[in-house]
Amino acid sequence: MMLPLGVIVPPWHFPVVLHFWGWSVPIHPVCDALAYTLGFRLYLILKKHFPGPQFSREQHAWIFIGCIFGALIGAKLLAWAEAPTLYWALRHDPHFWFGGKTIVGGLLGGWAGIEIAKKAMGLSGSTGDLCVYPVILGMCIGRVGCFLTGLSDSTHGVPTSLPWGVDYGDGIPRHPAQIYEILFLLGLGLVLWLKRGALMASGLKFRWFMTGYLGFRFYIDFFKPHWTVFGGLSAIQWACLGGLLFCTWSLMKLSEQPATENSHG
């Protein structure tokens, strides 16, 4: 098949598979492992310089548990809501039910889990500011894995005639939506860093990160294959709208509070 002029054809075959001592390992779990490892390492480095709220070890442990379980539940539930008929048609396949996840669901679910844990312990103070840059780093590395996995990951864009369209192996140039997301996250991280002096109020940086990312995901999902739930929008886009409404309300509440010295980087 003849490809349109200018279409990017990578010098490898999708999906990319790594070979170690006779073992073949898909690139996606390798990138996921790197994302978690390097993201957590950056978190520890930042925590050393910007300790944030002074909670006990037990309190930190419960907050961490709330984050993990909230993220897992949110990521899975939104994945099911994104393609309910597909999941129902394959309901007898346990691998399919437990295989899908969404970043938007993970972020919103993890945030909700942390807030529930803090509420149960009667704690106040934001723990999200410290996580912004580690989350950005982890998401960028994870999206590299999504891109190199190709069509089977279902994170690519729709067909395009633009010169930077990527052929994922089937001869059809598509929007490299994963690369768009990486570039956006890097730009968002840079803006948050440059504006850090204006984001001193506890929790402000995290909320602006969530606002920026949810707004981007709402827009970019129009350029990705998706199931529409109602109103021409996908479940992820509706979740983004809900998250944006909450972020707007939360930012309005924070704007009524004076900036404090409790900055988390």
Side-chain angles (χ1 to χ4, degrees), residues 146-223:
C146 294
F147 173 75
L148 296 178
T149 299
L151 296 174
S152 62
D153 192 64
S154 300
T155 56
H156 55 79
V158 296
T160 180
S161 60
L162 292 172
W164 56 79
V166 174
D167 173 16
Y168 289 91
D170 62 350
I172 302 175
R174 290 179 168 84
H175 284 287
Q178 310 96 330
I179 304 302
Y180 296 165
E181 186 164 331
I182 292 171
L183 294 175
F184 174 81
L185 286 169
L186 292 176
L188 179 60
L190 178 61
V191 169
L192 292 175
W193 173 256
L194 294 176
K195 296 293 184 179
R196 63 189 182 279
L199 302 174
M200 298 297 290
S202 178
L204 194 56
K205 183 185 299 179
F206 175 75
R207 283 158 178 78
W208 275 117
F209 160 72
M210 289 294 293
T211 300
Y213 181 72
L214 292 175
F216 167 80
R217 279 302 304 269
F218 177 81
Y219 174 74
I220 199 63
D221 274 33
F222 285 113
F223 296 89

Side-chain angles (χ1 to χ4, degrees), residues 35-64:
Y36 295 134
T37 301
L38 296 181
F40 185 64
R41 179 59 181 168
L42 179 58
Y43 172 81
L44 292 179
I45 293 173
L46 293 176
K47 193 176 189 310
K48 182 177 180 180
H49 294 87
F50 308 97
Q54 299 302 306
F55 300 146
S56 68
R57 289 187 177 181
E58 182 179 356
Q59 290 169 335
H60 274 295
W62 281 112
I63 291 172
F64 180 75

Side-chain angles (χ1 to χ4, degrees), residues 1-9 166-167 170-173:
M1 178 181 293
M2 294 294 292
L3 295 177
L5 183 63
V7 170
I8 298 174
V9 182
V166 174
D167 173 16
D170 62 350
I172 302 175

Side-chain angles (χ1 to χ4, degrees), residues 104 108 111 207-208 210-215 218 230 233 236-254:
V104 171
L108 293 175
W111 189 5
R207 283 158 178 78
W208 275 117
M210 289 294 293
T211 300
Y213 181 72
L214 292 175
F218 177 81
F230 57 92
L233 302 178
I236 288 179
Q237 288 176 308
W238 280 111
C240 287
L241 285 179
L244 284 170
L245 287 175
F246 181 80
C247 285
T248 300
W249 173 82
S250 187
L251 285 169
M252 291 174 62
K253 296 289 290 183
L254 281 178

Side-chain angles (χ1 to χ4, degrees), residues 88-117:
W88 181 251
L90 299 174
R91 61 188 180 277
H92 300 299
D93 182 358
H95 298 289
F96 188 80
W97 278 92
F98 291 98
K101 58 186 181 296
T102 65
I103 289 180
V104 171
L107 287 174
L108 293 175
W111 189 5
I114 289 173
E115 294 304 317
I116 291 172

